[in-house]
Amino acid sequence: MAQKINILDPMLAGKIAAGEVVERPASVVKELIENSIDAGAKNVSVWLAEGGRRQIKVVDDGGGMCRQDALIAFMRHSTSKVASEEDLSRITSYGFRGEALASIAAVAKVCLRTRERDALSGTKVAIGGEGGAEPLAADDGCPEGASIEVKDLFYSTPARFKFMRSAENEYGRTLEVLRRIALSNPDVSFTLFHGSTKSIDTKAGTLRDRIFDLFGDEVLKNIIEVNSPLVTGFIGSHEQSYATLKGVNTFVNGRWIRDKGITRAVIDGYGTILETSRFPFAVLDIRISPEDVDVNIHPAKSEVRFKSPGFVYDIVKAAVRGALGMGAAPAAFPYAPIGRMSGWTQAAGAHAGERPAAYGGLREAEDGLPFFNEAASGGAQEVKNPEFLGLRAVGQLWAEFLIAESPSGANAFFYVIDQHGAEERSAFERLKRAVCGGAALNRQMLLVPERIETTPEEKDALSAAMEHLGRFGFELTPFGPSIKEGGETFLIRSVPDMLASRSCANLLKDIAEELSDESASSRLEDRIEAALMRIACHSVIRGARPLEQAEADALVGKLAYIDFAGFCPHGRPVVKKFLRKEIEAVFKR
């Protein structure tokens, strides 16, 4: 029989292999800049013509190469970073496969000029052209470092060339690649020219400086530093969010990577303060042992495999949450807490001289100042947002928003507070503290049990979630077949005390479905948190509600004791701060 399997021509094999490394001009720029950084460059300049389709030029001031190395560099699998199999388990450089220059030269015309430091002359190597000619080397009077010029990308593979996008599109992709590399190397200066336009010009400095250079002051003023033992960088506040993941840049040992687990950890670190379908700004570098991460699983080295992905998820989430906790609290307020305003508006339903009943765990000291009942709130609490301790409620808008002011002065301010969102956040944090502390929520026995009719699916979900529902304060007992075929009737005999006056049948079904869904991508702790959010939301009064003075003061005071007081559990803003200077400016005072 005729032979069917053939060994490919080396030139054709090279072009096929190049397809894994060189996808578009941005791929070429990435490989060349990473080579420059591995060579110790501190200044890297990039020139593009037609988005890199016609010409790419990268110039650096790195260590340079001798003539022999410059020629060997274009041979496939030639590298200075790996000498043995053991080296693959401790890779710290960007490049290591020895494929970049060979792949680029297989599909483009390349000219390399390089000179070692203190060498009298440099070397010029030209490669490319029909027929796969050998590299041509000659002496060259180039500066120290390396300059590599790539022309007519994919000229030898027309099928690949026709799939390139427009010049502007390719330029945009290259710009994004350069930004990522620049973020992970703030100690290196980068310049990017597109035609005659200089689009990036960064100076060596700190990561904060680099963020300013690349994203401007609008991003810089909203960032929070992350400085945990294994995760460092910056994240944005809730105000700095996007509709896509474009603002999330994650690195492992300085290498930009795309990892769903790390991205999930960053988003989960924000918890409920980020609105649904919004994504944060983040520049985070995870520093772990090279032996605990495999970077040799993707041709472009943009994906990695972790030995312990769960551990990486946990440290990233904890680092983000910890930074937000430090950055969310306003600066300590220099004034002592003050009492009620005697002139509370009549619309709130209170009169001067009256002492309203305790509200939400609040009682009054002998001097009339409101403070939390430690027995009602589960013990002494740490002050998270001291600024709210210095505020006093002075009125309501439309029975839905509170106005709380600071003492008068040049730096005075006031808050407008969404009372439903604030109460919901407070209830959520109270629930979370109790459940995370291992305690069961206080429950209220129902005089007349409430019935739940379930489908077979709802019955299974309730049965699977019964243990957690018990911790939440719900007591359910089976009560025979349901009117829905195949289901069962349950009786709700007790509910969390905060839900005592509300129907809980539909709420219980939602919570049970959330908790019992083992196919969900989120962890059990996140599903429990989502269930607590539902309970908190149903526990507070919605819509317009006039508050008495003590109620308003208690609500404002609660915001001092909870994390992320500025947001409800669903991520919507709860408070808005206005400076006295802003109000005076409106009236030109």
Side-chain angles (χ1 to χ4, degrees):
M1 297 180 66
Q3 179 179 336
K4 296 180 180 180
I5 298 177
N6 300 303
I7 298 176
L8 290 176
D9 174 83
M11 184 176 176
L12 177 58
K15 291 180 180 180
I16 293 174
E20 296 182 345
V21 179
V22 183
E23 300 177 37
R24 54 182 7 106
S27 308
V28 175
V29 172
K30 172 183 177 294
E31 296 292 343
L32 297 183
I33 294 180
E34 288 181 347
N35 282 346
S36 296
I37 295 173
D38 284 342
K42 291 301 179 183
N43 295 278
V44 179
S45 298
V46 181
W47 282 265
L48 302 177
E50 295 182 10
R53 291 157 50 102
R54 184 163 62 86
Q55 183 184 36
I56 299 169
K57 185 177 181 180
V58 177
V59 178
D60 68 59
D61 61 351
M65 292 181 282
C66 65
R67 175 172 295 194
Q68 184 178 4
D69 285 343
L71 288 169
I72 295 176
F74 285 96
M75 298 176 65
R76 192 165 298 279
H77 308 306
S78 58
T79 179
S80 61
K81 287 97 175 182
V82 176
S84 65
E85 184 176 345
E86 289 72 22
D87 292 338
L88 287 176
S89 64
R90 47 176 181 266
I91 294 171
T92 57
S93 60
Y94 282 114
F96 56 88
R97 291 201 185 106
E99 293 180 318
L101 288 180
S103 296
I104 296 170
V107 293
K109 302 170 184 176
V110 181
C111 181
L112 168 68
R113 291 181 171 88
T114 181
R115 178 160 70 95
E116 291 183 295
R117 292 191 176 102
D118 301 324
L120 295 178
S121 65
T123 300
K124 175 183 176 181
V125 177
I127 185 172
E130 297 299 333
E134 291 294 318
L136 300 177
D139 290 339
D140 195 81
C142 58
E144 294 179 351
S147 166
I148 188 163
E149 188 174 9
V150 179
K151 291 184 176 181
D152 301 329
L153 186 62
F154 299 133
Y155 82 99
S156 61
T157 53
R160 296 288 305 280
F161 179 83
K162 69 181 182 181
F163 283 103
M164 277 203 291
R165 304 299 183 186
S166 67
E168 286 303 316
N169 186 294
E170 297 295 352
Y171 163 68
R173 293 172 183 267
T174 303
L175 184 65
E176 187 60 33
V177 165
L178 186 52
R179 280 178 177 161
R180 292 168 182 170
I181 298 176
L183 285 171
S184 64
N185 296 276
D187 58 333
V188 179
S189 297
F190 293 92
T191 307
L192 173 63
F193 293 89
H194 186 212
S196 59
T197 303
K198 182 189 292 187
S199 50
I200 286 183
D201 187 10
T202 68
K203 304 300 180 186
T206 64
L207 179 56
R208 184 182 290 271
D209 296 331
R210 184 56 46 87
I211 291 174
F212 173 76
D213 288 340
L214 296 176
F215 302 104
D217 186 60
E218 284 300 313
V219 171
L220 186 68
K221 69 182 181 182
N222 288 315
I223 62 174
I224 301 168
E225 185 172 10
V226 177
N227 191 18
S228 71
L230 298 176
V231 183
T232 59
F234 291 90
I235 56 175
S237 69
H238 73 286
E239 298 172 350
Q240 193 67 47
S241 65
Y242 306 91
T244 67
L245 284 167
K246 69 175 184 178
V248 179
N249 287 280
T250 52
F251 304 84
V252 173
N253 297 334
R255 183 192 304 278
W256 184 90
I257 59 102
R258 180 175 55 246
D259 185 89
K260 292 181 179 179
I262 294 178
T263 301
R264 184 77 259 166
V266 173
I267 296 171
D268 289 350
Y270 279 80
T272 59
I273 72 166
L274 203 62
E275 289 187 61
T276 304
S277 301
R278 300 292 295 179
F279 301 95
F281 174 86
V283 179
L284 296 175
D285 188 17
I286 304 157
R287 291 287 174 177
I288 59 178
S289 171
E291 297 179 355
D292 292 333
V293 58
D294 184 1
V295 300
N296 191 27
I297 67 169
H298 190 274
K301 302 183 285 288
S302 60
E303 296 179 9
V304 298
R305 183 182 292 118
F306 296 105
K307 183 179 292 185
S308 301
F311 171 73
V312 175
Y313 172 93
D314 289 337
I315 64 172
V316 173
K317 179 180 176 180
V320 171
R321 183 155 292 190
L324 287 169
M326 296 294 292
F333 196 65
Y335 301 94
I338 57 179
R340 298 191 310 260
M341 179 182 180
S342 59
W344 181 256
T345 60
Q346 293 293 323
H351 298 273
E354 290 183 356
R355 292 172 61 86
Y359 169 76
L362 174 92
R363 60 186 176 89
E364 291 188 274
E366 295 179 358
D367 58 1
L369 299 182
F371 62 93
F372 288 101
N373 185 337
E374 291 184 7
S377 60
Q381 300 179 61
E382 179 186 356
V383 174
K384 305 288 187 180
N385 302 294
E387 190 171 60
F388 289 103
L389 293 176
L391 301 181
R392 59 178 181 177
V394 296
Q396 258 184 311
L397 295 175
W398 312 297
E400 293 187 62
F401 303 94
L402 290 177
I403 307 295
E405 70 170 6
S406 73
S408 61
N411 296 318
F413 55 89
F414 70 91
Y415 277 98
V416 178
I417 302 171
D418 177 354
Q419 62 195 43
H420 168 77
E423 187 61 49
E424 185 180 357
R425 182 82 226 186
S426 176
F428 172 67
E429 291 296 329
R430 189 164 66 251
L431 290 169
K432 195 164 67 168
R433 279 198 302 271
V435 171
C436 291
L441 302 183
N442 294 333
R443 64 180 65 196
Q444 174 70 50
M445 301 302 296
L446 299 182
L447 185 62
V448 179
E450 184 179 359
R451 292 166 58 102
I452 303 182
E453 303 288 347
T454 65
T455 64
E457 294 79 8
E458 292 168 342
K459 168 192 169 182
D460 293 341
L462 281 170
S463 300
M466 201 68 76
E467 180 182 349
H468 293 297
L469 293 175
R471 290 177 61 197
F472 295 163
F474 295 101
E475 180 184 346
L476 285 82
T477 57
F479 194 64
S482 171
I483 60 175
K484 301 178 181 181
E485 185 176 352
E488 185 153 359
T489 299
F490 290 86
L491 293 182
I492 307 175
R493 298 192 178 276
S494 74
V495 298
D497 56 3
M498 61 176 59
L499 296 175
S501 60
R502 293 167 175 78
S503 173
C504 296
N506 291 330
L507 172 63
L508 267 172
K509 292 179 182 179
D510 291 341
I511 292 175
E513 183 180 359
E514 192 120 42
L515 290 172
S516 61
D517 184 7
E518 296 182 356
S519 65
S521 59
S522 57
R523 296 183 169 200
L524 176 60
E525 65 185 65
D526 297 322
R527 301 203 297 273
I528 291 176
E529 193 167 285
L532 296 179
M533 286 169 53
R534 290 183 183 274
I535 296 174
C537 185
H538 282 73
S539 71
V540 299
I541 296 177
R542 304 178 187 183
R545 178 193 174 193
L547 298 183
E548 302 216 5
Q549 176 73 59
E551 292 180 303
D553 285 335
L555 188 54
V556 174
K558 287 178 181 179
L559 296 177
Y561 295 92
I562 59 179
D563 284 328
F564 313 129
F567 311 90
C568 79
H570 305 292
R572 294 187 296 269
V574 169
V575 299
K576 175 64 177 176
K577 185 176 182 179
F578 295 90
L579 301 178
R580 175 173 179 165
K581 294 177 181 178
E582 294 176 315
I583 304 303
E584 290 175 340
V586 170
F587 296 100
K588 302 188 184 302
R589 295 182 61 180

